[in-house]
Amino acid sequence: MVVPTQVLRALCAGGGSLELEELRRRLPGRPTAKQLAAVLRDPQRFTLVRTPDEAEAGGAAAAAAEKVLVVATSSLRLCPEHGAGCQGGCGRLHLCKYHLKGVCRNQQARKECKFVHDFYSPHNHSVLRQHGLDSTFSSDELRQLLLQNDPTLLPEVCLHYNKGDGPYGSCNFKKICTKLHVCQYFLWGQCRFGSSCKRSHDFSKPECCEKLEKQGMSPDIIQKLPSIYRNMYAIQNSKGSKHDKEDNKSLPNKERKHSSSQESTSTSNEVEQICLYNLYTNCIFE
């Protein structure tokens, strides 16, 4: 029997998401595709993203070569009023967000932090149970789950940086901008320009790293950010939210095509009503 918490733990331990077949391999007893599909029907815990297998991306085999990525999903959130008078009826975790991100300066300086650092304090343990998360989850697994599901925890990406020409796009703040100067399509997992993209794909560059460290991000978390952002956007898209749209008129032709392809993808996802995978006879939900 496949237990949902086992599946969720495997995903969190695997970086927040795993391809369907890899997930099956990592689960105890290696469940059948049908057994696993029955568990993955729960959208409160799992988000399924279908992507083409790059090795088979062209030709008639493209549809059959499509892969399913399973993303760990949860409504678990941090309480924004923790430390400011919340009495505990919020149904959210009372936890230091800097400890969650990896580096609490108070802890580093051996000072007392007014925020809780324990995922399993009495209040937090009760909240975890409400969300169907038992005590078998490690702090690292819960950290992964929170970072990719609570959008308030990740720094904003500068949309102006992603518009216009020049090294800073149309961002007037340039180096002193408090938002991340990173290619938004890279974070969505949809940048088709790869290493030739004129927008940064590198979180480790000094300008970016400094902003992240100010927010308490540890080097280990910074390294994981590309996949964390992709998981977060996959979850948001599955719930019908939209990416911020660019004004195509302000973009160069090359970027305009890039933006148009993103918008058409979002639109097709929103209006889809018939399961194409059933038509291909390979829908895992039957």
Side-chain angles (χ1 to χ4, degrees):
M1 180 179 177
V2 187
V3 180
T5 52
Q6 281 183 331
V7 180
L8 207 54
R9 279 197 66 199
L11 291 171
C12 292
S17 62
L18 289 169
E19 287 184 357
L20 185 59
E21 286 306 308
E22 177 60 25
L23 175 60
R24 280 184 61 205
R25 283 193 289 270
R26 295 193 185 196
L27 290 171
R30 195 159 182 181
T32 65
K34 188 173 183 178
Q35 288 172 330
L36 184 53
V39 173
L40 296 180
R41 285 193 180 100
D42 185 355
Q44 300 302 314
R45 291 174 181 260
F46 310 106
T47 296
L48 272 62
V49 182
R50 301 177 191 275
T51 56
D53 184 346
E54 292 181 2
E56 302 283 349
E66 223 171 18
K67 290 187 176 180
V68 177
L69 185 73
V70 185
V71 186
T73 308
S74 176
S75 57
L76 186 68
R77 300 288 185 270
L78 256 59
C79 174
E81 301 300 321
H82 174 42
C86 179
Q87 299 300 309
C90 59
R92 300 187 174 200
L93 292 179
H94 283 185
L95 196 70
C96 171
K97 67 179 181 180
Y98 296 105
H99 172 69
L100 175 70
K101 294 175 183 180
V103 181
C104 174
R105 289 201 179 100
N106 285 326
Q107 194 176 42
Q108 279 189 320
R110 296 184 179 181
K111 295 179 181 177
E112 185 177 351
C113 181
K114 68 176 182 178
F115 299 99
V116 175
H117 282 207
D118 182 6
F119 279 96
Y120 285 102
S121 67
H123 169 83
N124 288 342
H125 199 180
S126 172
V127 172
L128 290 173
R129 284 199 304 268
Q130 290 172 30
H131 288 267
L133 302 168
D134 58 37
S135 57
T136 60
F137 283 80
S138 69
S139 296
D140 285 340
E141 289 165 353
L142 291 171
R143 183 175 282 112
Q144 179 74 45
L145 193 63
L146 276 161
L147 285 173
Q148 67 188 42
N149 281 278
D150 190 338
T152 66
L153 298 175
L154 295 182
E156 276 189 78
V157 175
C158 178
L159 296 181
H160 294 288
Y161 168 77
N162 281 276
K163 297 179 182 178
D165 295 314
Y168 296 99
S170 62
C171 178
N172 294 325
F173 295 103
K174 299 183 178 180
K175 283 189 176 182
I176 63 170
C177 180
T178 57
K179 297 180 181 180
L180 294 182
H181 284 183
V182 177
C183 172
Q184 61 187 343
Y185 299 103
F186 167 66
L187 296 183
W188 295 342
Q190 296 175 357
C191 182
R192 56 193 176 91
F193 300 117
S195 58
S196 63
C197 181
K198 65 180 179 179
R199 301 301 169 205
S200 175
H201 289 193
D202 186 8
F203 280 101
S204 64
K205 66 178 184 177
E207 178 195 339
C208 208
C209 220
E210 185 179 337
K211 294 173 186 177
L212 293 168
E213 287 173 351
K214 281 182 180 177
Q215 295 207 15
M217 294 276 184
S218 68
D220 181 53
I221 297 295
I222 292 173
Q223 188 178 6
K224 296 176 181 176
L225 280 179
S227 62
I228 291 174
Y229 270 101
R230 286 190 195 110
N231 290 341
M232 180 186 75
Y233 288 130
I235 293 166
Q236 289 179 354
N237 286 342
S238 76
K239 298 185 185 304
S241 63
K242 300 177 184 177
H243 296 309
D244 291 301
K245 302 286 181 72
E246 280 86 5
D247 178 5
N248 269 344
K249 294 179 182 178
S250 68
L251 296 174
N253 287 338
K254 188 177 181 183
E255 285 189 286
R256 192 177 303 164
K257 290 177 184 176
H258 198 168
S259 177
S260 297
S261 67
Q262 168 61 29
E263 290 184 19
S264 65
T265 300
S266 295
T267 304
S268 65
N269 286 341
E270 288 163 19
V271 301
E272 185 182 44
Q273 295 181 19
I274 298 174
C275 177
L276 295 178
Y277 308 100
N278 180 53
L279 297 181
Y280 294 142
T281 68
N282 65 348
C283 177
I284 65 166
F285 294 129
E286 301 179 355

